Amino acid sequence: MPSEMETSPAPNATSPPWEVKSKRPIRGRMVRKFLLWVFLIALVGLIAWGMMPKPIEVEVATVQRGPLTVHVVEEGRTRIRNRYVVAAPLAGQMQRITLRAGDEVKAGETVLTVIEPAAIPLLDARSKAQAEAAVQAADAARLRAREALRMAKTAEQFAASNWKRVQSLNEKGTVSDTDRDNAQREAEMKEREVQAAEFAEKVAAHELEQAQAALLQIDNPGGAQVQVKAPVNGVVLRIHQESAMVVSPGTPLVELGDPDDLEIEAEILSRDAVAMKTGTPVVVDQWGGEPALKAAVRRVEPAAFTKVSALGVEEQRVLVLSDLIDPPEAAKKLGDRFRVEVRIAVWTENDALLIPAGGLFREGMEWKTFVLDAGKARSVTVQVGRTDGRVTQVLGGIEAGAQVLLHPPDTVLDGVAVRPRG
């Protein structure tokens, strides 16, 4: 009798063949479903990652300490410091003036024009008295100009001696840079004052000669022609009367000046002029050459005047006169009434906490900036002081070394993720 093991059929012996083959497609479908779910999950993850906010690229700068100088920038004009208008010394027929603007003249040598005296009225005692008084006044003016020249030379000698002493002390390192610059500037200014006094003394002497010539023509009506000569060395700036004509005493004829004796004239707002004083540094730009010229304020006029701006606003302005300091050879081409741009320093701080002006923005009445903090923008309120347009003085609210965002876009808000550009 066969055993139980021998009579029992095998598990697969009695199963039909199609049941064994059907298990393979089931496993294939499961693999495909698994891959499909993986693909869908990955797709959703990519979409979610793409929709997540990315850090905004921004430009950053560092808050640091450094020097700051605030300038007032205004349009200026060159002008010859000492000008002289030659006038007719007496009445008569003036010959035509052949000189032209720009022609050089020499004191006491160049004849500007010739005047043929007119007939003097008979018994004109008043004209003679006036001529004698004019001679006395011209002589007194010449003496005053001579004394002013002596005083200017004395002051110039003192300033030069002081400058020499400062130079010797500067070699030993016992003089500050400010005192050295002030002494040098004072010596240069006194030297220019001597030149101006010499010019005034020559003009006074010429006026005395003209007054004496007028008196001589009254005493001798039939006298010779009167030659009007240049009283100073320089060039012709302007011809007031060119054609031959009958002139009366005091008629302007020719304007003379020295083109090498230039100064800068600028009309400054009165509120800015208050911070300016003698010796304030000035930078002259836009003069037609490179580099910028150096100058120093010589005088701030005490009286202001009203000027209407291009926008129709009335402004109180003050004339500020500056002297050029060691101008280069190319600057000698500058003439009278040439346009320039002046930058006058009105405030200086050698150790200020500085932030770029592009990192600040207004929010209401407060100044704020965005600070880069652990990859995020953090809004900070700061107290600001003076600015030169590029950097601004920080009085509080931020420390040196902080990185601030420059010109942040509108999408940058407090807490938004950002990253430095480049």
Side-chain angles (χ1 to χ4, degrees):
M1 185 174 178
S3 63
E4 185 177 354
M5 184 176 295
E6 291 178 353
T7 58
S8 61
N12 297 330
T14 59
S15 300
W18 58 83
E19 291 184 2
V20 177
K21 293 181 180 179
S22 63
K23 294 182 178 180
R24 293 181 181 177
I26 292 175
R27 287 197 297 267
R29 286 196 299 270
M30 293 179 62
V31 171
R32 286 195 298 271
K33 288 182 179 180
F34 176 76
L35 293 177
L36 178 61
W37 279 106
V38 170
F39 173 75
L40 292 176
I41 293 172
L43 181 62
V44 172
L46 288 175
I47 294 175
W49 179 81
M51 297 179 62
M52 289 178 60
K54 297 180 181 179
I56 302 173
E57 286 191 354
V58 292
E59 186 178 354
V60 299
T62 304
V63 178
Q64 55 189 355
R65 307 195 73 88
L68 175 63
T69 301
V70 179
H71 294 87
V72 172
V73 181
E74 288 289 350
E75 180 179 321
R77 293 180 299 274
T78 63
R79 75 176 189 183
I80 293 178
R81 185 200 313 268
N82 297 305
R83 315 163 71 91
Y84 183 73
V85 177
V86 180
L90 72 163
Q93 178 66 38
M94 183 195 75
Q95 296 182 4
R96 181 180 178 84
I97 298 178
T98 59
L99 295 173
R100 294 292 181 268
D103 291 347
E104 294 186 3
V105 296
K106 292 185 178 181
E109 297 182 10
T110 305
V111 178
L112 303 178
T113 187
V114 176
I115 299 178
E116 297 178 356
I120 304 298
L122 298 177
L123 303 177
D124 192 357
R126 185 180 65 177
S127 297
K128 183 176 181 180
Q130 290 177 344
E132 291 176 346
V135 170
Q136 294 176 0
D139 187 44
R142 180 178 62 86
L143 295 176
R144 182 177 59 185
R146 185 177 298 174
E147 293 300 323
L149 176 59
R150 291 177 181 175
M151 293 176 61
K153 287 183 177 180
T154 301
E156 191 268 339
Q157 291 175 358
F158 176 78
S161 300
N162 184 50
W163 170 231
K164 290 181 180 179
R165 287 194 297 268
V166 171
Q167 283 180 310
S168 61
L169 293 175
N170 185 56
E171 295 176 356
K172 301 177 183 179
T174 58
V175 177
S176 64
D177 293 340
T178 302
D179 293 340
R180 182 198 60 196
D181 294 341
N182 290 337
Q184 181 181 8
R185 186 162 44 245
E186 184 71 14
E188 293 175 351
M189 293 179 63
K190 293 302 179 183
E191 183 179 357
R192 289 181 178 269
E193 290 180 3
V194 169
Q195 296 176 358
E198 290 175 347
F199 185 92
E201 199 269 340
K202 291 179 181 179
V203 170
H206 175 75
E207 291 178 346
L208 176 59
E209 292 177 0
Q210 297 297 320
Q212 292 173 343
L215 179 61
L216 180 62
Q217 291 299 324
I218 293 178
D219 291 336
N220 185 15
Q225 299 174 339
V226 175
Q227 293 182 339
V228 181
K229 297 182 179 180
V232 293
N233 296 326
V235 299
V236 177
L237 301 178
R238 182 181 177 188
I239 305 295
H240 289 274
Q241 183 58 48
E242 180 180 358
S243 302
M245 63 175 295
V246 176
V247 296
S248 58
T251 302
L253 304 179
V254 182
E255 186 175 356
L256 306 177
D258 184 4
D260 293 332
D261 189 19
L262 283 179
E263 64 182 3
I264 309 297
E265 170 192 274
E267 298 175 356
I268 308 298
L269 290 173
S270 58
R271 67 170 180 266
D272 296 327
V274 173
M276 300 176 187
K277 59 182 180 180
T278 301
T280 299
V282 180
V283 178
V284 182
D285 289 322
Q286 306 295 329
W287 60 275
E290 294 291 341
L293 305 179
K294 295 182 179 180
V297 173
R298 188 182 84 253
R299 185 175 71 223
V300 179
E301 295 194 352
F305 58 91
T306 302
K307 183 176 181 179
V308 180
S309 67
L311 300 177
V313 179
E314 289 189 354
E315 301 172 338
Q316 292 301 113
R317 292 187 173 266
V318 179
L319 278 181
V320 177
L321 305 179
S322 306
D323 291 332
L324 294 174
I325 300 176
D326 298 329
E329 187 69 22
K332 293 185 178 180
K333 295 182 181 179
L334 286 172
D336 188 50
R337 298 297 174 184
F338 281 33
R339 179 196 174 278
V340 295
E341 184 179 272
V342 296
R343 292 191 291 118
I344 307 176
V346 295
W347 184 85
T348 301
E349 175 63 41
N350 295 325
D351 187 24
L353 185 60
L354 304 178
I355 182 174
L360 294 171
F361 62 92
R362 290 295 292 266
E363 188 173 295
M365 299 299 294
E366 297 179 336
W367 283 101
K368 291 193 174 184
T369 186
F370 282 115
V371 177
L372 181 61
D373 184 12
K376 293 186 178 181
R378 182 166 57 86
S379 178
V380 175
T381 302
V382 295
Q383 293 79 44
V384 300
R386 296 177 180 265
T387 180
D388 65 353
R390 298 180 298 106
V391 294
T392 302
Q393 179 191 21
V394 178
L395 302 179
I398 197 171
E399 300 294 335
Q403 289 188 315
V404 297
L405 278 59
L406 297 181
H407 307 289
D410 295 339
T411 54
V412 175
L413 301 173
D414 193 11
V416 172
V418 294
R419 64 184 180 90
R421 182 177 300 163

PDB file of all heavy atoms in Angstrom, residues 61-69 347 349-357 386-388 390-395 398-402 404:
ATOM      1  N   ALA A  61      27.701  96.803   1.031  1.00  0.00           N
ATOM      2  CA  ALA A  61      28.873  97.617   1.352  1.00  0.00           C
ATOM      3  C   ALA A  61      29.055  97.605   2.861  1.00  0.00           C
ATOM      4  O   ALA A  61      28.116  97.329   3.620  1.00  0.00           O
ATOM      5  CB  ALA A  61      28.716  99.044   0.840  1.00  0.00           C
ATOM      6  N   THR A  62      30.258  97.936   3.294  1.00  0.00           N
ATOM      7  CA  THR A  62      30.601  97.880   4.708  1.00  0.00           C
ATOM      8  C   THR A  62      30.616  99.273   5.312  1.00  0.00           C
ATOM      9  O   THR A  62      31.174 100.211   4.725  1.00  0.00           O
ATOM     10  CB  THR A  62      31.975  97.214   4.903  1.00  0.00           C
ATOM     11  OG1 THR A  62      31.961  95.923   4.295  1.00  0.00           O
ATOM     12  CG2 THR A  62      32.297  97.077   6.377  1.00  0.00           C
ATOM     13  N   VAL A  63      30.014  99.416   6.467  1.00  0.00           N
ATOM     14  CA  VAL A  63      30.066 100.664   7.223  1.00  0.00           C
ATOM     15  C   VAL A  63      31.447 100.755   7.887  1.00  0.00           C
ATOM     16  O   VAL A  63      31.866  99.839   8.589  1.00  0.00           O
ATOM     17  CB  VAL A  63      28.950 100.731   8.276  1.00  0.00           C
ATOM     18  CG1 VAL A  63      29.038 102.010   9.082  1.00  0.00           C
ATOM     19  CG2 VAL A  63      27.591 100.606   7.603  1.00  0.00           C
ATOM     20  N   GLN A  64      32.146 101.863   7.659  1.00  0.00           N
ATOM     21  CA  GLN A  64      33.494 101.996   8.201  1.00  0.00           C
ATOM     22  C   GLN A  64      33.770 103.449   8.542  1.00  0.00           C
ATOM     23  O   GLN A  64      33.038 104.360   8.134  1.00  0.00           O
ATOM     24  CB  GLN A  64      34.522 101.494   7.185  1.00  0.00           C
ATOM     25  CG  GLN A  64      34.421 102.154   5.818  1.00  0.00           C
ATOM     26  CD  GLN A  64      35.306 101.484   4.795  1.00  0.00           C
ATOM     27  OE1 GLN A  64      36.055 100.589   5.111  1.00  0.00           O
ATOM     28  NE2 GLN A  64      35.232 101.948   3.553  1.00  0.00           N
ATOM     29  N   ARG A  65      34.853 103.652   9.260  1.00  0.00           N
ATOM     30  CA  ARG A  65      35.249 104.990   9.683  1.00  0.00           C
ATOM     31  C   ARG A  65      36.230 105.578   8.669  1.00  0.00           C
ATOM     32  O   ARG A  65      37.010 104.851   8.043  1.00  0.00           O
ATOM     33  CB  ARG A  65      35.885 104.961  11.071  1.00  0.00           C
ATOM     34  CG  ARG A  65      35.038 104.271  12.134  1.00  0.00           C
ATOM     35  CD  ARG A  65      35.528 104.585  13.526  1.00  0.00           C
ATOM     36  NE  ARG A  65      35.208 105.941  13.892  1.00  0.00           N
ATOM     37  CZ  ARG A  65      34.075 106.328  14.471  1.00  0.00           C
ATOM     38  NH1 ARG A  65      33.133 105.437  14.739  1.00  0.00           N
ATOM     39  NH2 ARG A  65      33.866 107.590  14.792  1.00  0.00           N
ATOM     40  N   GLY A  66      36.188 106.905   8.531  1.00  0.00           N
ATOM     41  CA  GLY A  66      37.080 107.575   7.598  1.00  0.00           C
ATOM     42  C   GLY A  66      36.828 109.070   7.596  1.00  0.00           C
ATOM     43  O   GLY A  66      35.930 109.573   8.283  1.00  0.00           O
ATOM     44  N   PRO A  67      37.611 109.822   6.823  1.00  0.00           N
ATOM     45  CA  PRO A  67      37.438 111.277   6.762  1.00  0.00           C
ATOM     46  C   PRO A  67      36.248 111.660   5.895  1.00  0.00           C
ATOM     47  O   PRO A  67      35.906 110.958   4.933  1.00  0.00           O
ATOM     48  CB  PRO A  67      38.752 111.759   6.133  1.00  0.00           C
ATOM     49  CG  PRO A  67      39.213 110.600   5.306  1.00  0.00           C
ATOM     50  CD  PRO A  67      38.770 109.369   6.038  1.00  0.00           C
ATOM     51  N   LEU A  68      35.622 112.752   6.237  1.00  0.00           N
ATOM     52  CA  LEU A  68      34.475 113.264   5.472  1.00  0.00           C
ATOM     53  C   LEU A  68      34.585 114.779   5.372  1.00  0.00           C
ATOM     54  O   LEU A  68      34.778 115.462   6.379  1.00  0.00           O
ATOM     55  CB  LEU A  68      33.154 112.876   6.144  1.00  0.00           C
ATOM     56  CG  LEU A  68      31.876 113.445   5.503  1.00  0.00           C
ATOM     57  CD1 LEU A  68      31.718 112.925   4.080  1.00  0.00           C
ATOM     58  CD2 LEU A  68      30.653 113.118   6.336  1.00  0.00           C
ATOM     59  N   THR A  69      34.479 115.282   4.144  1.00  0.00           N
ATOM     60  CA  THR A  69      34.492 116.718   3.887  1.00  0.00           C
ATOM     61  C   THR A  69      33.247 117.073   3.093  1.00  0.00           C
ATOM     62  O   THR A  69      32.977 116.465   2.050  1.00  0.00           O
ATOM     63  CB  THR A  69      35.747 117.142   3.111  1.00  0.00           C
ATOM     64  OG1 THR A  69      36.910 116.789   3.859  1.00  0.00           O
ATOM     65  CG2 THR A  69      35.742 118.644   2.877  1.00  0.00           C
ATOM     66  N   TRP A 347      32.754 121.915   5.929  1.00  0.00           N
ATOM     67  CA  TRP A 347      32.763 121.081   7.140  1.00  0.00           C
ATOM     68  C   TRP A 347      33.676 119.903   6.895  1.00  0.00           C
ATOM     69  O   TRP A 347      33.665 119.293   5.826  1.00  0.00           O
ATOM     70  CB  TRP A 347      31.352 120.604   7.475  1.00  0.00           C
ATOM     71  CG  TRP A 347      31.254 119.815   8.741  1.00  0.00           C
ATOM     72  CD1 TRP A 347      31.108 120.308  10.016  1.00  0.00           C
ATOM     73  CD2 TRP A 347      31.317 118.380   8.883  1.00  0.00           C
ATOM     74  NE1 TRP A 347      31.060 119.286  10.922  1.00  0.00           N
ATOM     75  CE2 TRP A 347      31.192 118.082  10.255  1.00  0.00           C
ATOM     76  CE3 TRP A 347      31.464 117.349   7.987  1.00  0.00           C
ATOM     77  CZ2 TRP A 347      31.204 116.795  10.743  1.00  0.00           C
ATOM     78  CZ3 TRP A 347      31.485 116.044   8.454  1.00  0.00           C
ATOM     79  CH2 TRP A 347      31.347 115.782   9.829  1.00  0.00           C
ATOM     80  N   GLU A 349      35.522 116.349   8.964  1.00  0.00           N
ATOM     81  CA  GLU A 349      35.687 115.450  10.101  1.00  0.00           C
ATOM     82  C   GLU A 349      36.648 114.343   9.666  1.00  0.00           C
ATOM     83  O   GLU A 349      36.408 113.648   8.672  1.00  0.00           O
ATOM     84  CB  GLU A 349      34.341 114.851  10.512  1.00  0.00           C
ATOM     85  CG  GLU A 349      34.442 113.818  11.622  1.00  0.00           C
ATOM     86  CD  GLU A 349      34.965 114.399  12.930  1.00  0.00           C
ATOM     87  OE1 GLU A 349      34.548 115.529  13.275  1.00  0.00           O
ATOM     88  OE2 GLU A 349      35.796 113.734  13.577  1.00  0.00           O
ATOM     89  N   ASN A 350      37.757 114.208  10.402  1.00  0.00           N
ATOM     90  CA  ASN A 350      38.792 113.248  10.014  1.00  0.00           C
ATOM     91  C   ASN A 350      38.458 111.810  10.396  1.00  0.00           C
ATOM     92  O   ASN A 350      38.985 110.882   9.793  1.00  0.00           O
ATOM     93  CB  ASN A 350      40.132 113.640  10.642  1.00  0.00           C
ATOM     94  CG  ASN A 350      40.657 114.955  10.106  1.00  0.00           C
ATOM     95  OD1 ASN A 350      40.466 115.270   8.934  1.00  0.00           O
ATOM     96  ND2 ASN A 350      41.300 115.730  10.961  1.00  0.00           N
ATOM     97  N   ASP A 351      37.602 111.591  11.390  1.00  0.00           N
ATOM     98  CA  ASP A 351      37.276 110.237  11.829  1.00  0.00           C
ATOM     99  C   ASP A 351      35.765 110.141  12.062  1.00  0.00           C
ATOM    100  O   ASP A 351      35.276 110.262  13.182  1.00  0.00           O
ATOM    101  CB  ASP A 351      38.035 109.887  13.107  1.00  0.00           C
ATOM    102  CG  ASP A 351      37.856 108.425  13.508  1.00  0.00           C
ATOM    103  OD1 ASP A 351      37.555 107.608  12.618  1.00  0.00           O
ATOM    104  OD2 ASP A 351      38.006 108.109  14.699  1.00  0.00           O
ATOM    105  N   ALA A 352      35.034 109.924  10.975  1.00  0.00           N
ATOM    106  CA  ALA A 352      33.575 109.828  11.047  1.00  0.00           C
ATOM    107  C   ALA A 352      33.141 108.418  10.665  1.00  0.00           C
ATOM    108  O   ALA A 352      33.800 107.736   9.876  1.00  0.00           O
ATOM    109  CB  ALA A 352      32.917 110.851  10.125  1.00  0.00           C
ATOM    110  N   LEU A 353      32.025 107.965  11.235  1.00  0.00           N
ATOM    111  CA  LEU A 353      31.440 106.686  10.866  1.00  0.00           C
ATOM    112  C   LEU A 353      30.618 106.912   9.602  1.00  0.00           C
ATOM    113  O   LEU A 353      29.652 107.677   9.611  1.00  0.00           O
ATOM    114  CB  LEU A 353      30.555 106.154  11.995  1.00  0.00           C
ATOM    115  CG  LEU A 353      29.967 104.748  11.792  1.00  0.00           C
ATOM    116  CD1 LEU A 353      31.082 103.721  11.623  1.00  0.00           C
ATOM    117  CD2 LEU A 353      29.058 104.382  12.960  1.00  0.00           C
ATOM    118  N   LEU A 354      31.004 106.237   8.509  1.00  0.00           N
ATOM    119  CA  LEU A 354      30.452 106.546   7.194  1.00  0.00           C
ATOM    120  C   LEU A 354      29.650 105.365   6.655  1.00  0.00           C
ATOM    121  O   LEU A 354      30.047 104.206   6.794  1.00  0.00           O
ATOM    122  CB  LEU A 354      31.573 106.886   6.212  1.00  0.00           C
ATOM    123  CG  LEU A 354      32.510 108.023   6.632  1.00  0.00           C
ATOM    124  CD1 LEU A 354      33.590 108.221   5.590  1.00  0.00           C
ATOM    125  CD2 LEU A 354      31.724 109.305   6.849  1.00  0.00           C
ATOM    126  N   ILE A 355      28.533 105.687   6.039  1.00  0.00           N
ATOM    127  CA  ILE A 355      27.700 104.698   5.363  1.00  0.00           C
ATOM    128  C   ILE A 355      27.441 105.214   3.951  1.00  0.00           C
ATOM    129  O   ILE A 355      27.221 106.418   3.763  1.00  0.00           O
ATOM    130  CB  ILE A 355      26.364 104.474   6.115  1.00  0.00           C
ATOM    131  CG1 ILE A 355      25.533 103.397   5.430  1.00  0.00           C
ATOM    132  CG2 ILE A 355      25.581 105.761   6.228  1.00  0.00           C
ATOM    133  CD1 ILE A 355      24.269 103.031   6.201  1.00  0.00           C
ATOM    134  N   PRO A 356      27.483 104.357   2.922  1.00  0.00           N
ATOM    135  CA  PRO A 356      27.185 104.828   1.558  1.00  0.00           C
ATOM    136  C   PRO A 356      25.781 105.416   1.476  1.00  0.00           C
ATOM    137  O   PRO A 356      24.830 104.893   2.068  1.00  0.00           O
ATOM    138  CB  PRO A 356      27.319 103.555   0.711  1.00  0.00           C
ATOM    139  CG  PRO A 356      28.216 102.665   1.509  1.00  0.00           C
ATOM    140  CD  PRO A 356      27.925 102.953   2.947  1.00  0.00           C
ATOM    141  N   ALA A 357      25.667 106.507   0.746  1.00  0.00           N
ATOM    142  CA  ALA A 357      24.367 107.166   0.635  1.00  0.00           C
ATOM    143  C   ALA A 357      23.331 106.267  -0.023  1.00  0.00           C
ATOM    144  O   ALA A 357      22.130 106.378   0.247  1.00  0.00           O
ATOM    145  CB  ALA A 357      24.515 108.470  -0.151  1.00  0.00           C
ATOM    146  N   ARG A 386      25.931 114.754   8.464  1.00  0.00           N
ATOM    147  CA  ARG A 386      26.219 115.443   7.204  1.00  0.00           C
ATOM    148  C   ARG A 386      26.548 114.434   6.111  1.00  0.00           C
ATOM    149  O   ARG A 386      26.888 113.283   6.389  1.00  0.00           O
ATOM    150  CB  ARG A 386      27.376 116.431   7.389  1.00  0.00           C
ATOM    151  CG  ARG A 386      27.054 117.557   8.368  1.00  0.00           C
ATOM    152  CD  ARG A 386      28.261 118.450   8.556  1.00  0.00           C
ATOM    153  NE  ARG A 386      27.992 119.546   9.477  1.00  0.00           N
ATOM    154  CZ  ARG A 386      27.621 120.761   9.106  1.00  0.00           C
ATOM    155  NH1 ARG A 386      27.481 121.039   7.817  1.00  0.00           N
ATOM    156  NH2 ARG A 386      27.389 121.707   9.994  1.00  0.00           N
ATOM    157  N   THR A 387      26.459 114.901   4.873  1.00  0.00           N
ATOM    158  CA  THR A 387      26.733 114.042   3.729  1.00  0.00           C
ATOM    159  C   THR A 387      27.374 114.857   2.621  1.00  0.00           C
ATOM    160  O   THR A 387      27.154 116.074   2.519  1.00  0.00           O
ATOM    161  CB  THR A 387      25.440 113.388   3.213  1.00  0.00           C
ATOM    162  OG1 THR A 387      25.754 112.563   2.084  1.00  0.00           O
ATOM    163  CG2 THR A 387      24.429 114.432   2.783  1.00  0.00           C
ATOM    164  N   ASP A 388      28.175 114.173   1.811  1.00  0.00           N
ATOM    165  CA  ASP A 388      28.758 114.809   0.631  1.00  0.00           C
ATOM    166  C   ASP A 388      28.152 114.277  -0.656  1.00  0.00           C
ATOM    167  O   ASP A 388      28.661 114.534  -1.746  1.00  0.00           O
ATOM    168  CB  ASP A 388      30.277 114.602   0.608  1.00  0.00           C
ATOM    169  CG  ASP A 388      30.670 113.139   0.458  1.00  0.00           C
ATOM    170  OD1 ASP A 388      29.765 112.279   0.511  1.00  0.00           O
ATOM    171  OD2 ASP A 388      31.872 112.864   0.294  1.00  0.00           O
ATOM    172  N   ARG A 390      27.995 111.136  -1.579  1.00  0.00           N
ATOM    173  CA  ARG A 390      28.451 109.766  -1.786  1.00  0.00           C
ATOM    174  C   ARG A 390      28.373 108.945  -0.515  1.00  0.00           C
ATOM    175  O   ARG A 390      27.935 107.796  -0.533  1.00  0.00           O
ATOM    176  CB  ARG A 390      29.882 109.769  -2.330  1.00  0.00           C
ATOM    177  CG  ARG A 390      30.040 110.450  -3.676  1.00  0.00           C
ATOM    178  CD  ARG A 390      31.474 110.421  -4.149  1.00  0.00           C
ATOM    179  NE  ARG A 390      32.339 111.156  -3.226  1.00  0.00           N
ATOM    180  CZ  ARG A 390      33.169 110.598  -2.382  1.00  0.00           C
ATOM    181  NH1 ARG A 390      33.239 109.278  -2.310  1.00  0.00           N
ATOM    182  NH2 ARG A 390      33.934 111.336  -1.587  1.00  0.00           N
ATOM    183  N   VAL A 391      28.830 109.498   0.579  1.00  0.00           N
ATOM    184  CA  VAL A 391      28.762 108.844   1.882  1.00  0.00           C
ATOM    185  C   VAL A 391      28.108 109.789   2.879  1.00  0.00           C
ATOM    186  O   VAL A 391      28.116 111.010   2.696  1.00  0.00           O
ATOM    187  CB  VAL A 391      30.165 108.416   2.377  1.00  0.00           C
ATOM    188  CG1 VAL A 391      30.749 107.335   1.499  1.00  0.00           C
ATOM    189  CG2 VAL A 391      31.109 109.617   2.433  1.00  0.00           C
ATOM    190  N   THR A 392      27.561 109.210   3.934  1.00  0.00           N
ATOM    191  CA  THR A 392      26.835 109.980   4.945  1.00  0.00           C
ATOM    192  C   THR A 392      27.372 109.647   6.324  1.00  0.00           C
ATOM    193  O   THR A 392      27.696 108.490   6.617  1.00  0.00           O
ATOM    194  CB  THR A 392      25.330 109.676   4.874  1.00  0.00           C
ATOM    195  OG1 THR A 392      24.853 109.971   3.564  1.00  0.00           O
ATOM    196  CG2 THR A 392      24.547 110.511   5.886  1.00  0.00           C
ATOM    197  N   GLN A 393      27.448 110.653   7.161  1.00  0.00           N
ATOM    198  CA  GLN A 393      27.901 110.458   8.538  1.00  0.00           C
ATOM    199  C   GLN A 393      26.791 109.796   9.362  1.00  0.00           C
ATOM    200  O   GLN A 393      25.636 110.206   9.299  1.00  0.00           O
ATOM    201  CB  GLN A 393      28.279 111.808   9.150  1.00  0.00           C
ATOM    202  CG  GLN A 393      28.741 111.730  10.599  1.00  0.00           C
ATOM    203  CD  GLN A 393      28.839 113.095  11.241  1.00  0.00           C
ATOM    204  OE1 GLN A 393      28.228 114.055  10.781  1.00  0.00           O
ATOM    205  NE2 GLN A 393      29.616 113.189  12.305  1.00  0.00           N
ATOM    206  N   VAL A 394      27.166 108.756  10.119  1.00  0.00           N
ATOM    207  CA  VAL A 394      26.218 108.047  10.979  1.00  0.00           C
ATOM    208  C   VAL A 394      26.468 108.462  12.419  1.00  0.00           C
ATOM    209  O   VAL A 394      27.583 108.362  12.928  1.00  0.00           O
ATOM    210  CB  VAL A 394      26.370 106.517  10.831  1.00  0.00           C
ATOM    211  CG1 VAL A 394      25.405 105.801  11.760  1.00  0.00           C
ATOM    212  CG2 VAL A 394      26.122 106.099   9.392  1.00  0.00           C
ATOM    213  N   LEU A 395      25.410 108.914  13.077  1.00  0.00           N
ATOM    214  CA  LEU A 395      25.514 109.343  14.469  1.00  0.00           C
ATOM    215  C   LEU A 395      25.060 108.270  15.457  1.00  0.00           C
ATOM    216  O   LEU A 395      25.379 108.352  16.640  1.00  0.00           O
ATOM    217  CB  LEU A 395      24.686 110.619  14.677  1.00  0.00           C
ATOM    218  CG  LEU A 395      25.064 111.813  13.797  1.00  0.00           C
ATOM    219  CD1 LEU A 395      24.150 112.999  14.076  1.00  0.00           C
ATOM    220  CD2 LEU A 395      26.521 112.205  13.997  1.00  0.00           C
ATOM    221  N   ILE A 398      23.921 102.032  14.240  1.00  0.00           N
ATOM    222  CA  ILE A 398      24.664 100.994  13.544  1.00  0.00           C
ATOM    223  C   ILE A 398      26.128 101.131  13.914  1.00  0.00           C
ATOM    224  O   ILE A 398      26.597 102.230  14.258  1.00  0.00           O
ATOM    225  CB  ILE A 398      24.462 101.109  12.010  1.00  0.00           C
ATOM    226  CG1 ILE A 398      24.883  99.827  11.314  1.00  0.00           C
ATOM    227  CG2 ILE A 398      25.193 102.306  11.443  1.00  0.00           C
ATOM    228  CD1 ILE A 398      24.503  99.806   9.835  1.00  0.00           C
ATOM    229  N   GLU A 399      26.851 100.021  13.863  1.00  0.00           N
ATOM    230  CA  GLU A 399      28.256 100.014  14.248  1.00  0.00           C
ATOM    231  C   GLU A 399      29.146  99.799  13.027  1.00  0.00           C
ATOM    232  O   GLU A 399      28.695  99.327  11.976  1.00  0.00           O
ATOM    233  CB  GLU A 399      28.521  98.906  15.285  1.00  0.00           C
ATOM    234  CG  GLU A 399      27.729  99.061  16.570  1.00  0.00           C
ATOM    235  CD  GLU A 399      28.141 100.293  17.364  1.00  0.00           C
ATOM    236  OE1 GLU A 399      29.300 100.731  17.197  1.00  0.00           O
ATOM    237  OE2 GLU A 399      27.316 100.790  18.151  1.00  0.00           O
ATOM    238  N   ALA A 400      30.414 100.128  13.203  1.00  0.00           N
ATOM    239  CA  ALA A 400      31.390  99.923  12.133  1.00  0.00           C
ATOM    240  C   ALA A 400      31.555  98.432  11.846  1.00  0.00           C
ATOM    241  O   ALA A 400      31.524  97.602  12.754  1.00  0.00           O
ATOM    242  CB  ALA A 400      32.734 100.546  12.513  1.00  0.00           C
ATOM    243  N   GLY A 401      31.720  98.088  10.570  1.00  0.00           N
ATOM    244  CA  GLY A 401      31.863  96.698  10.165  1.00  0.00           C
ATOM    245  C   GLY A 401      30.587  96.056   9.688  1.00  0.00           C
ATOM    246  O   GLY A 401      30.630  94.976   9.077  1.00  0.00           O
ATOM    247  N   ALA A 402      29.432  96.655   9.933  1.00  0.00           N
ATOM    248  CA  ALA A 402      28.164  96.093   9.482  1.00  0.00           C
ATOM    249  C   ALA A 402      28.060  96.194   7.969  1.00  0.00           C
ATOM    250  O   ALA A 402      28.512  97.168   7.363  1.00  0.00           O
ATOM    251  CB  ALA A 402      26.994  96.805  10.148  1.00  0.00           C
ATOM    252  N   VAL A 404      25.680  96.641   4.788  1.00  0.00           N
ATOM    253  CA  VAL A 404      24.369  97.200   4.461  1.00  0.00           C
ATOM    254  C   VAL A 404      24.084  96.967   2.980  1.00  0.00           C
ATOM    255  O   VAL A 404      24.993  96.814   2.160  1.00  0.00           O
ATOM    256  CB  VAL A 404      24.305  98.704   4.786  1.00  0.00           C
ATOM    257  CG1 VAL A 404      24.479  98.937   6.272  1.00  0.00           C
ATOM    258  CG2 VAL A 404      25.353  99.482   4.003  1.00  0.00           C
TER     259      VAL A 404
END
